[in-house]
Amino acid sequence: MNEKVLRTLEYNKIIQQLAEKASSEPGRALCRELVPMTDLILIEQAQRETGDALSRLFRKGSTSFGSNKSLEGALRALAIGSTLSAAELLKIAALLDNVKRVKAYGRPARDDEAGDSLTDRFELLEPLTPLVTEIRRCILSEDEVADDASSGLRQVRRAIVSTGDKIHSQLNSMVNGSCRVYLQDAVITMRDNRYCLPVKSEYKNQVPGMVHDQSSSGSTFFIEPTAIVNLNNQLRELGIREQEEIEIVLADLSVQTGGYAAVIATDQQTMTQLDFIFAKASLALEQNATLPIFNQNRYINIRKGRHPLLSAKTVVPIDLYLGRDFDLLVVTGPNTGGKTVSLKTVGLFTLMGQAGLHIPALDRSELAIFREVYADIGDEQSIEQSLSTFSSHMTTIVQILAQADADSLCLFDELGAGTDPTEGAALAIAILNHLHQKGIRSIATTHYSELKVYALSTDRVQNASCEFDVETLRPTYRLLIGIPGKSNAFAISGRLGLPDFIIDAAKAQIDISDASFEDVLADLEAGRITIEQERQAIEAMKAEIKGLKEKLEGKHERIDNAKDRILRQAQEEAREILQEAKTFADESIRIFQKSGINNSTPLSIQELEQVRDGLRAKITAKNDKLALKPGHADKADKLKVHEIKPGNSVRIISMGLTGTVSTLPDHRGNLFVQCGVLRSQVNISDLVLLAEPDSHNDGAKAKERSSKTQTSNLKMNKALNLSAEINLLGRTVDEALAELDKYLDDAYLTHLTSVRVVHGKGTGALRNAVHRFLKRVKYVQSFRLGEYGEGDAGVTIVTFKES
């Protein structure tokens, strides 16, 4: 790409933002070198790496590459066998420590977790833990080597300490003894790395030794006493030996490090590349950017694109497409309406995408691969206004026409401006027509009505406009493709207070055909606004209907839950009643048995009648608590005496019991009915004759009813508990397909018409696997990706065939 377009479209500002996301200086340097590519394979690989790094940021958070420093000098020194300094060795150890942390960050959380495009890079990293441990053991800081770095160094430092103690002991005896009166101060000092005493000038001859220094006033001489000269000489020799031992330690560490020079170089290079890739992912995360789809058909389709250098809170997203139905797009509209922003957004997205950066737009946006991008926006062009002159514009256009070909994208802002409008419009049409005939993808902004007419009358050329609200005198910054724009000069002037007679006089100067054309544009705009308002009203009604539907479904769900709760409560109450009746019946049987003839103390008839009356009262009380009331019983006709005979099955209305007739009714209509172990006397008016069951058919029907009941209960339970959505996020492909298979079976059996499968966006691997699986399911009628507001490409809507 030419350098001028990178500056014009402010690509350098994007690179500056990218460099700020890198955490190491080599990573930032690599970011600053990033330029757009033209090889589709390399572009898609870079985009894949950015997407995989972004996925890792979502799953694991960020990691730091801050200890990654440039080691070129140190590695060259190792290659020729030189000894590294302590600082250089510590820099290598810090890098390897950082490598260890990054490698742990890149390690998969599960053994069966699938790898991505970054897995190989993480596996290339070698922490070299033994080497780091040895360096850290020997070197404590840039200025200090540990005593235990070698046995020789340890012995020398012990000797230094011992000699220093002897010197201090000798000097302390002199300070506190015979020399006390000769000293300026009772202290021990150092001069030229040798221990001295501060002696008064008048007593300098009283203290034998070597004079190393004199105070500025001349009153004090710093004398090394003769008694410690040999000890100081020994200390100096030991210091030299200490440096020699340190050099030996550093040389040994350098030799060990040199054996891993190639590994360290690979680690440093890999860390720089990973820092660069994760910087791209961090920028995409900040911009809420997505992976664009690339094609070689020179087709652009930007969905809700936002200029990355404008505030995300205020920028208005645009939808723009080019290259499929038309090759040339002419954008018109008032100044400060967003034309230049739209122009720069297309160019900058192309540069970012071909550089391996995600673009701040909805996913499934498409970009083309262009060998060159040319832009005539002017050296002083800003988003709000153009300050370029006609000559500078023409110079740039001449260069573009000489170099552009079918693999170029050309962007023109205010084409033909800065000169006579008639000539400027003619030039603009000629330039655009030349590019159009060569099949070059081009976008131009203009105020000339002639270009609007050219776009309307030329095949594969389309008008577009930036919407402007005349009532508020503010642009909406929405790009409307297919609709030519108006300058709205008269309307804006009138709203700002220009007298009507001046506006009318200006309108009279306009050619009738031009005025008619502007009137047509005004009518088109009014019609578009009406359609837009109706569309918004329809959307509002759809949203209201959806809310009412959800509210109704919630109401039905609450009713079903209440029904289920009432049934369970009724079953529990019935179970308690049956248990209580069983207990009371057992007690009654025990009393009757107690009154038998073999019992030595039989109960009297009155006592048995009391027990019987108590049993009947108990049953009546329980019957009153149930829904079966005599007044609400079956409205059957009263039984006649001739209609009943022993062996008939009857129901006792007052008791709510079923039994078998034992005797014929007497003249009062009383008869005995056997109800299990109880034999009760009842009146024929309290009986309902039950139909005689056919044993074979009745058994089969009962079995069929039982089977249907079990099946319906199973379906009802599933229908109550089964959600209309399944979430597959976080699953592997195999886990997700197994879970989806079972879920679709259950959903189809419970007669759901459609379901929502949440698989996320990510790299698209899970989404593609789900779609391949759905194609093989026989009872799936169709499936589609979610629309805007339904989850977009992270969701698939599945519709079942009618069962």
Side-chain angles (χ1 to χ4, degrees), residues 375-445:
D376 173 34
I377 300 178
D379 295 336
E380 300 297 328
Q381 175 68 32
S382 67
I383 286 178
E384 294 81 15
Q385 60 181 343
S386 173
L387 301 177
S388 303
T389 62
F390 177 76
S391 59
S392 64
H393 274 292
M394 257 322 118
T395 301
T396 303
I397 291 172
V398 168
Q399 296 173 352
I400 293 175
L401 294 178
Q403 299 173 6
D405 56 19
D407 292 324
S408 302
L409 173 65
C410 296
L411 307 173
F412 301 97
D413 190 39
E414 301 295 348
L415 182 61
T419 187
D420 178 75
T422 303
E423 295 180 355
L427 276 173
I429 292 174
I431 292 169
L432 292 179
N433 194 56
H434 171 73
L435 295 173
H436 177 55
Q437 289 176 352
K438 294 177 66 175
I440 299 174
R441 304 294 188 262
S442 306
I443 304 177
T445 67

Side-chain angles (χ1 to χ4, degrees), residues 85-329:
S85 66
E88 290 173 324
L89 289 169
L90 286 177
K91 188 184 295 184
I92 291 175
L95 169 65
L96 295 176
D97 282 335
N98 200 171
V99 166
K100 183 178 180 180
R101 293 192 298 271
V102 172
K103 190 175 182 69
Y105 173 85
R107 191 173 294 118
R110 301 188 311 271
D111 293 338
D112 59 345
E113 183 176 323
D116 55 27
S117 62
L118 302 180
T119 301
D120 291 341
R121 295 185 187 272
F122 282 109
E123 291 179 351
L124 277 177
L125 296 174
E126 290 293 338
L128 301 178
T129 303
L131 176 62
V132 175
T133 303
E134 183 65 13
I135 293 175
R136 297 291 188 193
R137 183 186 71 82
C138 296
I139 304 176
L140 302 180
S141 69
E142 294 184 4
D143 302 319
E144 183 179 3
V145 177
D147 295 345
D148 294 334
S150 69
S151 58
L153 182 60
R154 181 168 59 252
Q155 292 175 359
V156 168
R157 286 185 172 173
R158 284 180 179 176
I160 290 174
V161 171
S162 175
T163 304
D165 289 342
K166 291 178 182 179
I167 293 174
H168 277 83
S169 176
Q170 185 74 24
L171 291 177
N172 282 331
S173 65
M174 296 177 67
V175 168
N176 298 322
S178 58
C179 296
R180 177 67 186 90
V181 295
Y182 306 139
L183 303 179
Q184 191 77 28
D185 295 298
V187 296
I188 300 172
T189 184
M190 295 281 290
R191 286 294 184 274
D192 298 331
N193 290 325
R194 300 178 74 89
Y195 288 99
C196 302
L197 294 177
V199 181
K200 297 177 182 178
S201 59
E202 60 268 25
Y203 297 115
K204 66 177 181 177
N205 295 324
Q206 303 299 322
V207 180
M210 299 175 59
V211 177
H212 286 279
D213 198 4
Q214 182 181 4
S215 66
S216 58
S217 63
S219 61
T220 305
F221 285 83
F222 297 95
I223 300 175
E224 178 186 359
T226 304
I228 65 167
V229 169
N230 289 334
L231 292 174
N232 269 333
N233 290 340
Q234 293 177 16
L235 194 61
R236 179 66 65 87
E237 292 173 0
L238 290 172
I240 294 173
R241 286 179 57 190
E242 181 187 23
Q243 290 300 318
E244 291 175 351
E245 291 294 335
I246 290 175
E247 288 296 326
I248 292 172
V249 171
L250 295 178
D252 182 59
L253 290 175
S254 298
V255 170
Q256 295 182 45
T257 304
Y260 299 104
V263 176
I264 295 172
T266 301
D267 282 348
Q268 199 272 333
Q269 183 180 5
T270 304
M271 290 282 284
T272 300
Q273 292 171 350
L274 286 173
D275 189 16
F276 165 67
I277 293 170
F278 275 88
K280 295 193 295 180
S282 298
L283 182 64
L285 183 63
E286 180 183 271
Q287 295 178 347
N288 193 21
T290 61
L291 171 70
I293 300 173
F294 285 90
N295 65 81
Q296 293 181 307
N297 301 321
R298 296 177 295 156
Y299 172 61
I300 297 175
N301 181 24
I302 297 174
R303 304 174 64 240
K304 303 298 179 187
R306 308 176 306 279
H307 195 287
L309 297 179
L310 298 179
S311 172
K313 296 180 180 179
T314 57
V315 65
V316 178
I318 64 168
D319 292 306
L320 188 147
Y321 50 93
L322 174 72
R324 179 166 294 177
D325 300 323
F326 50 89
D327 304 329
L328 173 61
L329 186 64

